[in-house]
Amino acid sequence: MTKVYINGKLYDKADAKISVYDHGLLYGDGIFEGIRVYDGKVFRLRQHVDRLYDSARGIKLEIPMSREQMAEAIASTVKANDKRNGYIRALVTRGAGTLGLDPRKTTDPQVIIIVDDISLYPPELYENGMEIVTVSTIRNHPNALSPRIKSLNYLNNIMAKMEAIQAGCLEALMLNHEGEVAECTGDNIFIVKHGVLKTPPIDAGILEGVTRNTVIELAQAAKITVQETALTRLDVHTADECFLTGTAAEVIAVVKCDGRPIGAGKPGPITKQLRERFHQITRQ
Ligand code: PMP
């Protein structure tokens, strides 16, 4: 039976409950992280915990425990679930309040940690690459709700995902308010052009992905030139290679965008190399 952590205690999945007055439910008022466990080890735990606390700061939410205690709670929940390989969802809600927005009327933030499995895309897509489509829903304007905050309000991304599904794709390419490439609904995007690896900068209005940063490090270690630079749809359409990164997605090739084959229409050599390296460090 899956054990869920809520505020320092473990509950069976069926008994893991919080108030319907919680502002996390009523307004999406809270923040979260998605983290992987590989071979019993939590991948980049420190980076995920740091991002969780930055997100909390971003929405003026005080997490009622230290970063060390959070890291410890995550590790012990993984242990309690006896999971060698899996996916962790850590979230903090604003807590139960009144039926109004005022965050001052909420009491205790709820700290929840779930350890389970995840599979985002079908296995054959990891072999052959996937198709994405540019959607009309733009990524949240950074001055409305910064995409750097991993908030519990994911409607922006869900709306984009619905458009992609409507168009027969599993993933959406989202542009920012300037019309530049931002990211996909739950993944960051990279392209390769003339051997150079390119990805939008953080100020394009994206989540600074832990997997993105890992892949940048792996590329640099492999002496591949990396540029964090503004990209347009045309850059994606005319790229030699394209791939997405994310905790759940890991590294997955994109072989078609907006109905146009990218490069040779199959996963490219640099994509394969980085995917291989990512596998090595996560499954070492
Ligand atoms: N962008 C968005 C919008 C995301 O939700 C995520 C995480 N699922 C990512 C990018 C990738 O971030 P990470 O590599 O830290 O999982």
Side-chain angles (χ1 to χ4, degrees):
M1 177 64 121
T2 301
K3 299 272 185 219
V4 179
Y5 172 106
I6 306 178
N7 302 328
K9 288 204 195 108
L10 288 171
Y11 298 85
D12 284 339
K13 181 176 170 179
D15 301 321
K17 294 177 179 153
I18 62 162
S19 168
V20 293
Y21 284 81
D22 194 298
H23 280 209
L25 175 68
L26 290 175
Y27 301 116
D29 188 353
I31 43 100
F32 77 103
E33 274 300 315
I35 314 169
R36 281 243 190 198
V37 191
Y38 294 106
D39 203 18
K41 192 169 180 303
V42 182
F43 185 67
R44 306 252 153 153
L45 178 57
R46 186 75 223 182
Q47 284 93 326
H48 282 288
V49 169
D50 282 345
R51 189 171 67 184
L52 185 74
Y53 278 73
D54 284 345
S55 292
R57 275 232 163 133
I59 68 163
K60 268 183 117 195
L61 169 63
E62 193 146 344
I63 299 178
M65 61 207 285
S66 69
R67 290 173 196 227
E68 289 67 33
Q69 287 168 325
M70 178 65 74
E72 178 49 40
I74 290 171
S76 67
T77 309
V78 170
K79 260 216 185 95
N81 280 283
D82 206 13
K83 268 256 177 256
R84 301 290 303 166
N85 290 284
Y87 179 82
I88 303 160
R89 175 61 52 88
L91 54 136
V92 186
T93 72
R94 188 81 69 182
T98 55
L99 295 178
L101 293 178
D102 193 342
R104 293 171 307 179
K105 305 225 168 109
T106 58
T107 52
D108 333 312
Q110 301 290 297
V111 180
I112 301 166
I113 303 166
I114 305 168
V115 180
D116 212 324
D117 300 311
I118 196 162
S119 100
L120 205 60
Y121 307 120
E124 59 270 21
L125 292 188
Y126 284 90
E127 276 308 306
N128 306 326
M130 69 187 305
E131 178 175 359
I132 63 174
V133 63
T134 311
V135 294
S136 62
T137 303
I138 63 163
R139 195 72 177 92
N140 280 333
H141 192 295
N143 290 340
L145 174 58
S146 174
R148 291 173 65 188
I149 298 171
K150 205 162 165 55
S151 91
L152 286 181
N153 195 318
Y154 250 54
L155 272 176
N156 178 219
N157 314 57
I158 292 166
M159 303 286 277
K161 186 103 175 169
M162 286 195 292
E163 274 192 75
I165 291 165
Q166 181 70 32
C169 289
L170 287 183
E171 199 43 87
L173 176 58
M174 301 182 77
L175 306 178
N176 66 16
H177 58 284
E178 308 272 16
E180 299 159 346
V181 169
E183 58 183 341
C184 292
T185 64
D187 309 319
N188 293 112
I189 187 165
F190 286 81
I191 62 164
V192 177
K193 185 71 175 176
H194 302 318
V196 177
L197 186 63
K198 302 184 186 193
T199 195
I202 306 307
D203 65 13
I206 62 170
L207 183 75
E208 184 174 357
V210 170
T211 320
R212 170 190 184 275
N213 291 350
T214 305
V215 165
I216 289 174
E217 283 168 27
L218 292 176
Q220 285 167 340
K223 303 273 184 279
I224 297 167
T225 305
V226 183
Q227 291 176 356
E228 294 182 56
T229 184
L231 298 174
T232 63
R233 264 175 90 205
L234 183 67
D235 291 317
V236 177
H237 292 163
T238 59
D240 300 327
E241 300 180 34
C242 179
F243 62 87
L244 310 181
T245 64
T247 294
E250 303 186 291
V251 179
I252 186 163
V254 174
V255 292
K256 216 182 224 191
C257 178
D258 302 330
R260 303 149 184 244
I262 294 176
K266 50 185 208 237
I270 292 181
T271 305
K272 281 188 182 161
Q273 182 190 348
L274 291 170
R275 196 170 135 62
E276 182 65 23
R277 282 294 296 133
F278 187 78
H279 270 245
Q280 282 167 4
I281 64 160
T282 53
R283 287 146 176 96
Q284 62 199 348

